[in-house]
Amino acid sequence: MSAEKPLKIDLNLFQTLVVKKWTVSLILTAVMLAIYYGYILVLAFHKETLATKVGETMTVGMIVGLVVILASWVMTGIYVAWANTTYDDLVKRIRGTLKE
Amino acid sequence: MNEFSSTIGQPNLTSILFFFVFICGTLGITYWAAKKSKSASQFYAAGRSVTGWQNGLALAGDYMSAASFLGIAGLVSLKGYDGLIYSIGFLVGWPIIMFLIAEPLRNLGKYTFADVVAYRLKQKPVRIAASVGSLMTVSFYLIAQMVGSGSLIKMVFGLQYETAIIIVGAVMISYVLFGGMLATTWVQIIKACLLLGGATVMVFIVLSKFDMNPVNLFAAATAKYGAKVLEPGGLVANPWDAVSLGLALMFGTAGLPHILMRFYTVPDAKAARKSVFYATGLIGYFYILTFIIGFGAMVLVGQDIITKMDKGGNMAALLLAEATGGTMFLGFIAAVAFATILAVVAGLTLAGATTLSHDLFVNVFRGGKSSEEEEVKVAKRATLFLGVLAVGLGIAFKGQNVAFMVGLAFAIAASANFPALLLSILWRKFSTFGAVASIATGTVLAVGLIIISPTVWVDVFKYPAAIFPLKNPAIISMFGAFFAGWLGSVLRPDLAEQERYEEQKIRNYLGVGAE
């Protein structure tokens, strides 16, 4: 699998694309890790916090659990929204300048 | 709530009927798919014709096993809140797939994740190493599924264990052998719809007894079993255990070959990213449903009856189906559970067969030169071989404690597959030697440490104390694999491989030349 033709692209723009992509990806990964491990560490060291009552029956833990599930999904949504606009636009621009 | 005697374990007419319809329908689809599954790209990747939404459903179908449906509902029914902690662990790997893996995988690979790892490295050593990691992940996952399905079908339908395994094996082989990825994908989609639909109906019936307000259901649970059911219990006792298991689940999901393979069925990286979004939403929704089903079973069936049927609580969802919708609904949910097993083992077998034919036969044994006809022929033989092997292993492990195998599969996926995959995408200086060192270290550490961990050493071998203290080895084995990958690449760098990284980057980010 080697390049058949040398590709000429706008290298500066391409570098911007790569940096942007990994900035977004790594920030989102870090946030996801923080959310999940934040939850696990509270479970391990401060279980009582999650057992605190909210209203008559619900506990903080129930709400936090639901929030973690929703956050996982919302974050994939944020990535898709970003990639569908910013990322894809940049790719289109670079591919437009691409000469074979 | 009145006591009721369950008919679970007796042949159930509706169940057999539903199951018969499912089998006929899916075999019909297989027949249709068989006519289209002639080329390698059709056999392995459904001709890359699956849409983002369809693949999202199929990914969810691949991931929602009968074990997670029945097992997590059962865990919730007996332990309450702790079941939620468990399901969250299985969900959080999906965003990671999205952020780090899905698009590069789609742009760089052809049929397997080893395509990506070996992209600019030396084919033979990397493919052999990646195949070992891939096949071990698939095998342990498959054994756990087969043994679980045998016991489940025995318990639900009263069929003999061996008969159940052979039926599962035979139907699953027909899907994959004749219909390839196209049939497997549609089986997954149908199963995902049935499972999500059935669970939604069950939740609806349960909530209708509580004014459609889940809080009333939780209040009834605390009234019956005390406030502790809504509080975290003993699941996260040792923080290091929790951290290590969390790593295995988070990064292991991004290293499961049957999941990664699905990204080749969509036309491009954009569809790949969309499919992760849908899959994450569907799986999250599914875990919320199982949580409510677990509480429904706790309140409407009762923990005594659930544990009387099965100590682990695996029958909770089925008992609830019977309590809320009678034998008819029980039959439907039981048939859905059976369909779920079939779909999951089909996906695993296809992933294993693809590794054997595409990675090992074509790219190692034939040095990348093989006709498409021959490749498909080998893939079909590999399917048959793996299918028969799965049945054999399922029977051989009858009655054994295989619960650790899912954890082991995730640990190997997180240690052998994921680090090499990520490094090959991200790191220019990653070399062939580094890749092989990373995969070997990850595999050896994951397997070796789990043997001397409490999960196997104490639970299976019955020794009084474990040599390695953690139940899941990922914290050591995954970081060990990253370290070995770095060390190997520094010790034996390869400049030609680094040069080829430029071309890989263009294809990775722009999709230029993607299959």
Side-chain angles (χ1 to χ4, degrees):
Chain A
M1 288 185 206
S2 56
E4 297 85 17
K5 304 158 206 156
L7 297 167
K8 284 204 176 73
I9 53 166
D10 183 338
L11 278 178
N12 284 331
L13 207 54
F14 184 64
Q15 198 49 36
T16 317
L17 175 84
V18 175
V19 170
K20 268 195 178 168
K21 142 87 191 167
W22 286 106
T23 312
V24 171
S25 279
L26 293 177
I27 288 175
L28 287 173
T29 303
V31 172
M32 196 62 234
L33 279 168
I35 292 176
Y36 180 59
Y37 278 106
Y39 175 63
I40 289 296
L41 292 177
V42 173
L43 273 170
F45 293 108
H46 242 275
K47 229 163 46 177
E48 313 82 65
T49 317
L50 295 174
T52 317
K53 279 259 163 74
V54 179
E56 262 176 53
T57 36
M58 294 298 273
T59 57
V60 173
M62 300 278 279
I63 291 158
V64 169
L66 194 66
V67 168
V68 176
I69 292 180
L70 287 179
S72 307
W73 187 49
V74 168
M75 285 180 51
T76 60
I78 292 173
Y79 182 82
V80 171
W82 174 79
N84 279 349
T85 52
T86 316
Y87 185 80
D88 283 354
D89 284 350
L90 256 180
V91 169
K92 222 183 271 169
R93 267 173 65 195
I94 298 171
R95 286 186 75 149
T97 65
L98 189 143
K99 301 210 174 46
E100 292 181 1
Chain B
M1 303 303 135
N2 53 332
E3 292 269 324
F4 73 99
S5 61
S6 170
T7 58
I8 292 177
Q10 296 160 21
N12 174 325
L13 197 67
T14 27
S15 171
I16 292 167
L17 190 74
F18 279 124
F19 188 65
F20 189 71
V21 171
F22 175 80
I23 296 280
C24 289
T26 48
L27 287 179
I29 287 173
T30 308
Y31 178 76
W32 161 77
K35 290 191 243 167
K36 295 182 148 200
S37 293
K38 303 275 189 273
S39 75
S41 132
Q42 281 159 342
F43 186 80
Y44 295 133
R48 317 206 192 276
S49 61
V50 178
T51 66
W53 165 240
Q54 289 166 346
N55 193 44
L57 268 171
L59 281 167
D62 247 327
Y63 204 62
M64 301 180 297
S65 62
S68 62
F69 175 51
L70 302 176
I72 292 177
L75 190 63
V76 173
S77 75
L78 299 181
K79 307 265 181 197
Y81 187 79
D82 278 4
L84 185 64
I85 305 174
Y86 197 73
S87 23
I88 286 174
F90 279 98
L91 182 69
V92 290
W94 285 90
I96 302 295
I97 295 189
M98 171 77 102
F99 307 147
L100 304 180
I101 300 290
E103 296 160 304
L105 189 79
R106 177 63 194 85
N107 276 342
L108 294 175
K110 209 170 169 188
Y111 306 126
T112 63
F113 82 87
D115 286 339
V116 180
V117 184
Y119 188 84
R120 65 193 154 102
L121 306 180
K122 292 192 184 61
Q123 295 293 318
K124 283 190 185 177
V126 174
R127 296 253 182 201
I128 292 172
S131 301
V132 172
S134 188
L135 287 172
M136 287 187 84
T137 315
V138 166
S139 307
F140 286 118
Y141 215 105
L142 198 54
I143 294 174
Q145 293 292 333
M146 288 304 271
V147 173
S149 70
S151 331
L152 176 76
I153 293 166
K154 186 179 159 199
M155 215 179 320
V156 178
F157 299 91
L159 271 178
Q160 232 196 326
Y161 179 91
E162 286 80 3
T163 319
I165 297 256
I166 290 170
I167 293 176
V168 167
V171 179
M172 167 268 274
I173 291 170
S174 343
Y175 291 154
V176 183
L177 187 63
F178 302 113
M181 183 53 110
L182 190 57
T184 308
T185 302
W186 279 101
V187 170
Q188 298 291 11
I189 293 174
I190 292 169
K191 160 264 172 102
C193 292
L194 285 173
L195 186 56
L196 288 166
T200 304
V201 170
M202 207 184 328
V203 163
F204 190 80
I205 300 176
V206 168
L207 290 182
S208 70
K209 296 184 195 294
F210 296 93
D211 303 322
M212 294 320 277
N213 185 352
V215 177
N216 293 347
L217 167 67
F218 299 138
T222 51
K224 201 169 173 185
Y225 294 102
K228 64 176 194 309
V229 295
L230 298 185
E231 297 166 6
L235 193 70
V236 180
N238 175 351
W240 287 110
D241 251 345
V243 168
S244 192
L245 178 66
L247 281 177
L249 295 177
M250 258 189 138
F251 297 105
T253 310
L256 294 175
H258 63 297
I259 297 291
L260 297 179
M261 197 182 166
R262 293 225 65 89
F263 291 109
Y264 299 121
T265 64
V266 295
D268 54 24
K270 192 175 174 134
R273 83 170 76 107
K274 266 191 213 160
S275 61
V276 187
F277 173 68
Y278 295 129
T280 312
L282 291 169
I283 295 167
Y285 173 65
F286 170 73
Y287 285 139
I288 293 173
L289 292 180
T290 49
F291 189 64
I292 297 176
I293 289 171
F295 271 95
M298 184 195 288
V299 174
L300 298 175
V301 179
Q303 294 183 339
D304 301 344
I305 297 178
I306 295 171
T307 44
K308 213 185 286 167
M309 283 293 290
D310 177 69
K311 257 192 295 179
N314 286 314
M315 291 297 110
L318 293 168
L319 284 164
L320 179 66
E322 195 175 17
T324 53
T327 31
M328 175 104 172
F329 195 47
L330 165 68
F332 175 69
I333 294 294
V336 169
F338 203 164
T340 295
I341 293 168
L342 277 173
V344 172
V345 292
L348 285 164
T349 304
L350 179 59
T354 306
T355 301
L356 286 174
S357 57
H358 178 68
D359 290 330
L360 284 179
F361 179 79
V362 175
N363 281 298
V364 174
F365 193 68
R366 283 286 157 91
K369 292 176 206 78
S370 166
S371 74
E372 200 153 314
E373 263 173 18
E374 188 185 37
E375 178 162 2
V376 174
K377 209 164 92 189
V378 173
K380 291 194 167 183
R381 282 191 194 157
T383 303
L384 198 58
F385 165 76
L386 271 180
V388 172
L389 185 73
V391 169
L393 288 172
I395 292 172
F397 279 92
K398 180 185 177 181
Q400 301 287 316
N401 179 352
V402 293
F404 72 92
M405 284 191 184
V406 171
L408 176 58
F410 271 87
I412 299 175
S415 315
N417 308 345
F418 173 74
L421 186 56
L422 189 69
L423 287 173
S424 72
I425 292 169
L426 266 184
W427 193 32
R428 168 199 301 272
K429 292 185 176 161
F430 196 46
S431 74
T432 298
F433 191 68
V436 174
S438 169
I439 295 170
T441 309
T443 311
V444 169
L445 282 178
V447 177
L449 290 177
I450 210 158
I451 291 174
I452 57 170
S453 78
T455 0
V456 175
W457 203 248
V458 178
D459 293 353
V460 180
F461 293 157
K462 307 288 176 205
Y463 288 105
I467 303 165
F468 179 70
L470 299 178
K471 288 182 190 139
N472 195 293
I475 195 168
I476 307 283
S477 56
M478 189 176 110
F479 288 118
F482 273 115
F483 178 75
W486 168 79
L487 190 68
S489 304
V490 171
L491 289 179
R492 290 248 200 114
D494 188 321
L495 291 176
E497 288 169 355
Q498 293 179 24
E499 259 168 47
R500 284 199 291 273
Y501 184 68
E502 291 309 315
E503 186 258 330
Q504 172 183 327
K505 254 171 89 179
I506 288 174
R507 175 157 161 180
N508 180 359
Y509 299 105
L510 302 181
V512 179
E515 299 271 345

